Amino acid sequence: MSPTSETAQGGKRLVIVESPAKAKTIKGYLGPGYIVEASVGHIRDLPGTAAEVPDKYTGEVRRLGVDVDHDFAPIYVVNADKKAQVSKLKQLLAESDELFLATDEDREGEAIAWHLQQVLKPKVPVKRMVFHEITKAAIQEAVANPRELNQRLVDAQETRRILDRLYGYEVSPVLWKKVMPKLSAGRVQSVATRLVVERERERIAFTSASYWDLVAVFGTGRTAADAANPENFGARLVSVDGRRIASGRDFGPDGRLRDAALAANTMHLDEPAARALAAALEQTSFSVRSVESKPYRRSPYAPFRTTTLQQEASRKLGFGAKRTMQVAQKLYENGFITYMRTDSTTLSETAVAAARSQVTQLYGADYLPDAPRVYASKVKNAQEAHEAIRPSGDRFRTPAETGMSGDDFRLYELIWMRTVASQMKDAVGQSVTVRVGGTSADRRAVEFSASGKIITFHGFLKAYVEGADDPNAELDDRERRLPRLAEGDPLAAEQLTPEGHATKPPARYTEASLVKELEDREIGRPSTYASIIDTIINRKYVFKKGTALVPSFLSFAVVNLLEKHFGRLVDYDFTARMEDDLDRIAAGQAESVPWLKRFYFGEGEGAGVAAEAGNGDGDHLGGLKELVTDLGAIDAREISSFPLSDEITLRVGRYGPYVEKAAKSEEETGLRADIPDELPPDELTVELAEQLLAAPSGDVELGTDPVSGNPLVAKAGRFGPYVTEVLPEGTPKTGKNAVKPRTASLFKTMSLETVTLEDALRLLSLPRVVGSDAEGVEITAQNGRYGPYLKKGTDSRSLTSEDQLFTVTLEEALAIYAQPKQRGRAAAAPPLRELGTDPVSERPVVVKDGRFGPYVTDGETNATLRKDDDVATITPERGYELLAEKRAKGPVKKVAKKAPAKKTAAKATAAKTTTAKKTAAKKTAAKKTTATAGAAKKTAAKKTVAKKAVAADQATVTDEG
């Protein structure tokens, strides 16, 4: 029975989903008897601050939002910004005969449904409506076959939420006290940060090794060659006198040959030896020693799950994990793809049939395997029974049929291609290895090797080729053709080139490779990785340099503290075992309260139920409360100090990182210098630290102000050099009588080395009064954030140079104000760099210099470069990524201002005491004011709902803190 006809018999039904976008799509598939409304994400959660906790709770319960002494009972409060929406839902429910909770079918969605039921307290029948795709057939099927709320999923989500709250609210304050205020710790985010820091430590400790080999080009002597049978080919030296030539994998991070390479008698060629060998081989005759051919077969990649989609979108589209999930959520809510948070690689029978049908239509029956392909999930404890991410419906729309454009089109195309390719035949061919030998003039036997690959049937590679994290890696569809050769064939060396190499430090993580690392280690849930990465970037633990994730010096101090004093909490295996325990609780194989007691209070509480509490032995649980209580052993200075040499130490202070050189004697003073914010830790060498310390970073005494008698000094600040006065000792710095010293930034043409007392006096004299206009309004010359300008009342006009601040006359100023104010911009300056064509807008992308700093633009969208982006080194992919992020945010909306209520009231009071005419006039004005205020309130309310909608659309599960 269809929803429409069923509704006619069953009355009005209220369907609640998470987001307005999802509600709008589903509403179109249901009959007029259905009301579809959004909860706009979670309506209830643990309190964000103690002020939100009801007054009946005190002490630790008020601080944590969890009653740890009474079975870890959570204190839930309706979010302040959701109270109006809850009231609306209650009103709609009162007019309904049935309630359908249609939130996502995962832990988070099940929890939202449960909270809705608890808060709305429905007196009508309640049903749980679930679906994996938003199509008419799927929605009608979900209405016709509802289920009960899955309390096990709700309990599992609640346990995770409480665990993350305890971790975040107990460990974060330790960071505030010992490292820096406003920091945070989290069950997964701290481990993710440690991974990035450990990789940087490896880079810092890395010693590069140099090694050489020979590259040869051999000719067959044949002239009738074609593309399938080339006349020459390249090969690389692999052995001399039977000893294998060392390559990059033979060297350790210390720059030395590994023990295994030494044991195998591997030969390490340096430059002189390589050049000598090349000279000795100039007259050598070579021949084919062996030809080994093997069949090549490559099977299709499994359909996307959440993490593989994030990784491939990063490689192919340049999307960050957060951007990928934003676009995927939009595609899901508009009915284009199935649910995008999934650990599964399985496809339904309907999806397999749709994919196989398109293979036949687009590529022919030769590309369709006899039987459907089945993919088993490789993710341990895969969450919930979702499908893989695929196009929705029982017939897949081709990208051209969707009518989409931009990022939506590109991500849908990626998902569509991967899904169709997953049901195609293997790619097959031949791989060939050829060994070439010869004897040098000094009687040394040498051997070169070349490998080739020929694809005779491309199979699924016709539809899709997976990308690689390593830009130098060879993709699966790449062919390398060798000539047709047989053992004993003579060859001539057309070229013999010595080639030098140097080992490279391990590559920094990108968002894609960090997602893969977390999943491989089974840390956290794949559905949370995008929000975890976003959190560690926003917390300034990590910043991006191109696509690489670089740890900040602050993260080194945080990880150092956690490793030394909370080592178990950031241990990779411990975190993975916790995930196993949480999955056991979700499966009903363990109980949450005994487990939480063990984790929080230690072995003494609930030790007798270890098997039920954890993974059987429970050895990894116990004692968070005790750990955060005894902080006496934590030396704040020690955990934030990192020696660079015997004399120089890197320290992470409350206002940022700096290097410090201790004084050699009591008579000397130590040196200190700030470290640039954007400096990657592996680039801070002893030599660079010496340079920073040698630079003028202290006060440069310029002389005495002849008027005030205060000394004037020049300083290097975090925002550039400036001059300031030194106030007498005892001058109040706080309170009502506080006196602030005069300060002024140096002009662009000045420096700490060249600034003089006269310059300082002139700078501190600003702003300068130029004169007054005919109406007596004062005109001043001022130096501002965006350069020098004139100011007359609220009217500002730019000056062309800093020197004009001291030279512009009243006549010149009046002439400037006599000109119409320029609303547009001056003639555009030439771009700083050209990056290429944006794949979304298909317009040329350039880097320009703006008043807020350099930015990338395609003529339609502008995006400011981040602090870690450099004009000289920014890649085209990074430019496209910045533009994509800016487009995702949409245009900036102006907030309507409310009319001041007090003034309206005051006018109304005043109106009562005046004449009748004035009263009438003021009442009219008051009515207009009220109408304006009402309109403003409505506008603001609409925009607030819109903001909430966006927040709900982009909602993801995160760590606490």
Side-chain angles (χ1 to χ4, degrees), residues 563-597:
E563 286 177 334
K564 289 183 177 179
H565 300 278
F566 301 95
R568 192 165 45 86
L569 297 183
V570 289
D571 179 80
Y572 304 131
D573 292 337
F574 168 76
T575 309
R577 289 200 301 272
M578 272 207 298
E579 204 63 50
D580 287 343
D581 288 351
L582 291 167
D583 285 327
R584 285 168 54 78
I585 292 169
Q589 298 168 2
E591 296 178 19
S592 62
V593 172
W595 189 89
L596 286 169
K597 283 183 178 180

Side-chain angles (χ1 to χ4, degrees), residues 382-393:
Q383 181 189 187
E384 288 82 56
H386 293 148
E387 272 194 85
I389 303 170
R390 62 165 178 86
S392 60

Side-chain angles (χ1 to χ4, degrees), residues 126-164:
V126 180
K127 294 179 180 178
R128 181 76 169 100
M129 173 180 163
V130 294
F131 42 86
H132 305 314
E133 60 183 356
I134 303 177
T135 60
K136 187 172 184 178
I139 296 304
Q140 292 183 352
E141 175 73 14
V143 170
N145 297 282
R147 64 165 172 79
E148 296 298 316
L149 200 68
N150 188 332
Q151 193 61 42
R152 190 177 290 171
L153 283 181
V154 174
D155 293 343
Q157 191 276 342
E158 184 173 79
T159 303
R160 288 172 182 272
R161 188 74 184 91
I162 293 170
L163 171 63
D164 288 339

Side-chain angles (χ1 to χ4, degrees), residues 464-486:
Y464 187 83
V465 181
E466 188 172 67
D469 292 323
D470 182 358
N472 299 316
E474 186 176 274
L475 300 183
D476 287 333
D477 64 340
R478 173 79 182 274
E479 288 189 310
R480 299 183 310 278
R481 289 187 176 271
L482 296 178
R484 297 189 187 99
L485 298 168

